[in-house]
Amino acid sequence: MERIIISPGKYIQGPDAIGNLAQYVEKIGSHPLVLADETVQQIVVEPVSQSFSALNMSYSIETFCGECSRPEIERLTDLCRSGGHDIVIGIGGGKTLDTAKATAFYHNVPVVIVPTLASTDAPTSALSVIYTPEGEFSEYLLLPSNPNMVIMDTNIVAGAPVRLLVAGMGDALSTYFEARANSISGGQTMAGGVPTASALALAKLCYETLLADGLKAKISAINHLSSTALDNVIEANTYLSGIGFESGGLAAAHAVHNGLTHVEEFHHLYHGEKVAFGTLVLLVLENAPMDEIQTVLNFCKEVGLPTNLHQMGMKELDNEKLLRVAEASCAEGETIHNMPFPVTPSAVLSAIYSAHTLGL
């Protein structure tokens, strides 16, 4: 199988980067549709308006309905056609950005992604997660290319809730270990091939950046201030992890995350918080050296990621529920089968108990 690496056309990051939005966008489009929800509009409407006015560019701002659903995508695609928009700009959280990607795909125009959070590695990916209008998962929309451009305004991210930044670290934490597993097993990645050496190197840099700057970045975010450490972690959470997961591959950590969604006690957790615990389970499954497991545990405790089931909401361990998690983690087609050895529900259940105990 071929080695394949994919990435956005351009990645831009810096303080007040959104104020330069028009000068970046004008190179690929002249009449954008800007998509943002009401809350995000209150934050960005002034710098966005000033940016486009300075270049005398016409644009429209449309309010995102709150769900990345087929009806919303169709509504926005029709709006793009009737308004003659030649580029879509998504500003906000994951569902807004996924809707912008899908709308641009169906309208066959470029898309620019402007995250206001560093809570996941999804902004750079060639993927939209589609839900029903009621908010239930419906399907994955695999896109033929990554976003044309991703713009991260570090001042906006610094002003977001700290827990979301930490959750992004939890998601990014898994990147290296899952890519490492795929590089050994030869598992197929979302890019369509096996991991490249460059994707694995970026995944490793992601992990090293978290260890070096995670706590410092959290302190900056608590004070809503930018810093070099915060800049580095934003890049790790978004770009390094984004390339790492998509071209390096997913494995047990994200499969365990998916399994955890089957138990109500864990529903309040953010994606990255569940993935962090899934990373501990992955390390136990592969019988990683204890010093490596301890390093990951120390990092999680340092920045405030959950390391045991009690912290995650399960006050009394329930074997029946945890077996359900293990079985769902091992479902046919799950990424846990990219591990370089056979994995069974009983092995996952054992690893969950071990990870929980080590994390107490």
Side-chain angles (χ1 to χ4, degrees):
M1 191 181 295
E2 295 86 358
R3 298 185 181 192
I4 301 175
I5 187 168
I6 55 178
S7 68
K10 181 177 286 189
Y11 179 84
I12 299 160
Q13 178 180 309
D16 301 317
I18 200 168
N20 298 317
L21 180 62
Q23 75 177 61
Y24 292 122
V25 168
E26 70 168 345
K27 296 176 176 64
I28 53 176
S30 60
H31 184 42
L33 176 72
V34 179
L35 182 64
D37 64 30
E38 291 180 351
T39 301
V40 169
Q41 285 186 37
Q42 293 173 12
I43 300 170
V44 306
V45 68
E46 184 175 346
V48 167
S49 176
Q50 290 176 352
S51 177
F52 286 113
S53 295
L55 295 184
N56 294 315
M57 282 183 68
S58 62
Y59 71 99
S60 299
I61 293 184
E62 182 64 22
T63 301
F64 174 53
C65 79
E67 202 57 72
C68 182
S69 64
R70 285 286 175 186
E72 178 69 350
I73 293 165
E74 290 167 5
R75 179 182 76 85
L76 292 166
T77 303
D78 289 342
L79 197 61
C80 282
R81 289 176 182 144
S82 62
H85 296 288
D86 61 357
I87 186 170
V88 178
I89 303 172
I91 307 178
K95 291 189 177 184
T96 303
L97 305 181
D98 278 359
T99 303
K101 290 186 211 175
T103 301
F105 166 66
Y106 287 114
H107 188 45
N108 195 28
V109 296
V111 62
V112 173
I113 297 300
V114 187
T116 53
L117 306 167
S119 58
T120 74
D121 50 20
T124 64
S125 71
L127 173 73
S128 288
V129 184
I130 311 296
Y131 297 84
T132 68
E134 294 75 31
E136 297 177 359
F137 171 76
S138 175
E139 60 186 298
Y140 291 115
L141 174 63
L142 299 177
L143 304 168
S145 61
N146 300 70
N148 300 79
M149 193 179 299
V150 176
I151 302 174
M152 295 291 299
D153 188 317
T154 53
N155 283 346
I156 292 177
V157 175
V162 175
R163 184 182 169 192
L164 291 167
L165 177 74
V166 173
M169 294 188 216
D171 196 18
L173 180 64
S174 70
T175 306
Y176 170 60
F177 299 109
E178 293 192 292
R180 183 175 71 180
N182 274 271
S183 70
I184 298 170
S185 69
Q188 182 171 326
T189 72
M190 292 180 67
V194 295
T196 65
S198 51
L200 184 60
L202 290 176
K204 187 176 182 182
L205 177 60
C206 177
Y207 176 57
E208 292 169 347
T209 301
L210 294 177
L211 295 183
D213 289 331
L215 180 58
K216 291 179 286 184
K218 180 182 178 181
I219 293 168
S220 296
I222 288 172
N223 293 292
H224 302 304
L225 297 170
S226 292
S227 69
T228 300
L230 180 58
D231 288 351
N232 290 344
V233 167
I234 290 170
E235 183 177 346
N237 284 8
T238 309
Y239 184 78
L240 296 177
S241 184
I243 307 304
F245 100 80
E246 198 167 28
S247 296
L250 299 175
H254 275 79
V256 171
H257 162 278
N258 295 343
L260 291 169
T261 65
H262 289 256
V263 175
E264 186 176 355
E265 283 95 325
F266 306 132
H267 285 180
H268 68 285
L269 295 167
Y270 287 123
H271 172 83
E273 292 170 333
K274 295 192 288 287
V275 171
F277 184 74
T279 302
L280 293 170
V281 175
L282 179 154
L283 291 171
V284 172
L285 272 173
E286 63 183 16
N287 197 30
M290 194 60 216
D291 60 343
E292 186 173 64
I293 295 174
Q294 195 60 56
T295 298
V296 172
L297 280 170
N298 290 344
F299 170 77
C300 290
K301 292 176 180 178
E302 186 175 69
V303 299
L305 287 164
T307 60
N308 62 71
L309 297 167
H310 297 328
Q311 291 176 340
M312 295 166 65
M314 182 173 279
K315 301 306 179 185
E316 298 293 334
L317 299 192
D318 186 316
N319 193 71
E320 182 180 341
K321 290 181 178 179
L322 294 176
L323 179 58
R324 193 188 316 159
V325 170
E327 290 174 341
S329 302
C330 295
E332 184 178 353
E334 261 296 354
T335 57
I336 204 165
H337 302 299
N338 287 334
M339 297 298 290
F341 46 80
V343 181
T344 64
S346 61
V348 175
L349 183 63
S350 175
I352 288 172
Y353 275 101
S354 295
H356 163 77
T357 303
L358 291 169
L360 289 173

